Amino acid sequence: MRILVTGGAGYIGSMLIPELLNKGHQVTVLDNLTWDIQGLESNVGKPGFEFVKGDIRDNKLIKGLLEGQDVVVHLAALVGFNLCESRRAQATDINVNGSKNLCSHLRDNQLLIYASTGSVYGEAKGLNCTEETAPNPPSHYAKTKLEAEAVFSKRKNAVILRFATAFGVSLRMRLDLLVNQFVYEAIKHKTLIVYGKNYARSIVHVQDIARSIMFTVNHKEVMHGQTFNVSSEATFTKGQIAQSIKEQVDYDLRFAELNSDLDKRDYQLSTEKIQALGFHTNVSLDQGIRELVYAVKKLKVDKTFFNA
């Protein structure tokens, strides 16, 4: 198949593109290279790979790129709480208006896979959130993602995937993610303060995110026009995640109460809907922590990998 991936040089895209190419797909990546090209360098020269530097908001460019595509995987966005709070207007323009531009040129015979977030559920204190749980987005990031969902939900050929908090090593690394940041701070600073240790957090490894997108490509007939949560089956509290890291890293772990300015998400994502179709995650928390520890200790992973 011919597949267009927007934002393909990012945290998720850099893990997805090799998988698509290995399956024999023709892959075009559109990215403005905000975070450079290191996530794509290993694909250069491979059969079926094409890169286009550009912006999702470019009307003429998007119209031309969509010609002849079978699938569009829409990853392009400003992501994360801090980044979207500091660039609110830009986040709205890219995440919402960019999505509208893409949708306006999408044909009915093209599959659109939209990468959304479980953050749209808000605090949802103690809930097991299904796809029917009413969204209550607490941040500008979550609000823009939900607005974009509304754009694509009108299309019968679109599938919305709501990802849990991602973690793990990627070719375009991010440290502004809960597990990744915990590991980084435990190693670099030898200490970590966890606020709200009993608050639950659903997580999913970036490799499993890529697998869920591949799964959607292969099961589009039964997933068209629907929304699916994507998460590891196991849910952990923030305290449990920190303790799991402590089993592999010697550091000073402390706990404190949440204040009004901090992230108060406390829920788990129900994955029964996508599991019923046969999708299950593969990468455990311990395995993900192990690779993160290696990456932070051995590779050049520093504060430049925080989206801010």
Side-chain angles (χ1 to χ4, degrees):
M1 281 187 281
R2 293 178 58 84
I3 301 177
L4 171 66
V5 182
T6 72
Y11 182 68
I12 296 171
S14 61
M15 302 302 287
L16 172 65
I17 305 307
E19 296 299 319
L20 292 172
L21 292 172
N22 288 340
K23 293 298 183 181
H25 298 296
Q26 302 289 308
V27 181
T28 299
V29 172
L30 170 68
D31 201 288
N32 64 8
L33 298 185
T34 297
W35 308 108
D36 211 343
I37 200 171
Q38 72 266 20
L40 292 177
E41 288 177 334
S42 62
N43 302 299
V44 175
K46 287 184 178 180
F49 176 75
E50 180 184 3
F51 173 74
V52 177
K53 184 178 181 180
D55 196 294
I56 191 67
R57 296 165 291 180
D58 186 327
N59 184 64
K60 184 178 180 180
L61 176 63
I62 293 301
K63 183 178 181 180
L65 284 177
L66 281 176
E67 288 291 333
Q69 301 292 341
D70 301 301
V71 178
V72 181
V73 180
H74 184 29
L75 305 174
L78 284 191
V79 297
F81 175 88
N82 290 329
L83 185 62
C84 290
E85 287 300 322
S86 64
R87 306 183 191 178
R88 293 173 70 91
Q90 186 181 20
T92 299
D93 198 25
I94 294 173
N95 297 2
V96 181
N97 295 334
S99 295
K100 289 179 179 178
N101 185 41
L102 181 63
C103 190
S104 69
H105 297 294
L106 192 69
R107 296 182 179 179
D108 290 341
N109 63 345
Q110 294 173 316
L111 170 67
L112 185 286
I113 302 172
Y114 177 57
S116 189
T117 171
S119 295
V120 300
Y121 294 115
E123 293 180 24
K125 199 166 184 64
L127 289 181
N128 182 32
C129 294
T130 73
E131 292 80 359
E132 302 304 316
T133 301
N136 184 27
S139 65
H140 190 66
Y141 166 60
K143 289 174 182 176
T144 63
K145 297 298 278 187
L146 187 61
E147 285 186 57
E149 279 193 19
V151 173
F152 295 119
S153 64
K154 300 173 184 177
R155 305 293 299 250
K156 294 182 179 179
N157 56 326
V159 177
I160 296 168
L161 301 179
R162 289 176 176 165
F163 298 122
T165 299
F167 75 104
V169 173
S170 168
L171 294 172
R172 207 304 279 182
M173 193 59 190
R174 280 182 63 191
L175 292 177
D176 58 305
L177 296 162
L178 184 74
V179 181
N180 297 8
Q181 183 171 354
F182 278 11
V183 172
Y184 177 81
E185 292 187 8
I187 293 172
K188 293 296 184 181
H189 305 305
K190 306 298 183 183
T191 186
L192 173 65
I193 301 175
V194 175
Y195 295 90
K197 69 176 183 179
N198 294 321
Y199 279 61
R201 183 63 58 85
S202 290
I203 58 174
V204 60
H205 195 278
V206 64
Q207 291 180 19
D208 284 323
I209 290 178
R211 287 183 56 250
S212 73
I213 294 171
M214 297 285 293
F215 182 88
T216 305
V217 171
N218 295 327
H219 295 79
K220 58 183 180 181
E221 292 81 5
V222 293
M223 297 177 74
H224 267 159
Q226 299 181 67
T227 298
F228 296 86
N229 292 335
V230 179
S231 173
S232 299
E233 280 87 75
T235 297
F236 303 89
T237 66
K238 294 165 73 175
Q240 288 172 330
I241 292 171
Q243 292 287 0
S244 294
I245 295 169
K246 198 166 178 61
E247 293 175 6
Q248 301 187 40
V249 180
D250 183 19
Y251 73 100
D252 180 29
L253 173 60
R254 303 176 185 181
F255 298 107
E257 295 299 317
L258 277 173
N259 63 45
S260 59
D261 296 327
L262 295 176
D263 185 354
K264 294 185 176 180
R265 283 177 288 169
D266 180 21
Y267 63 89
Q268 64 185 46
L269 294 185
S270 169
T271 57
E272 291 182 7
K273 186 175 180 181
I274 198 166
Q275 283 184 52
L277 299 180
F279 179 79
H280 299 272
T281 55
N282 285 342
V283 186
S284 69
L285 174 62
D286 287 342
Q287 182 180 340
I289 291 172
R290 192 176 305 115
E291 68 183 36
L292 284 163
V293 170
Y294 181 89
V296 174
K297 285 184 175 181
K298 301 292 187 180
L299 306 178
K300 186 182 178 182
V301 177
D302 54 35
K303 289 186 177 181
T304 61
F305 292 93
F306 282 86
N307 278 13

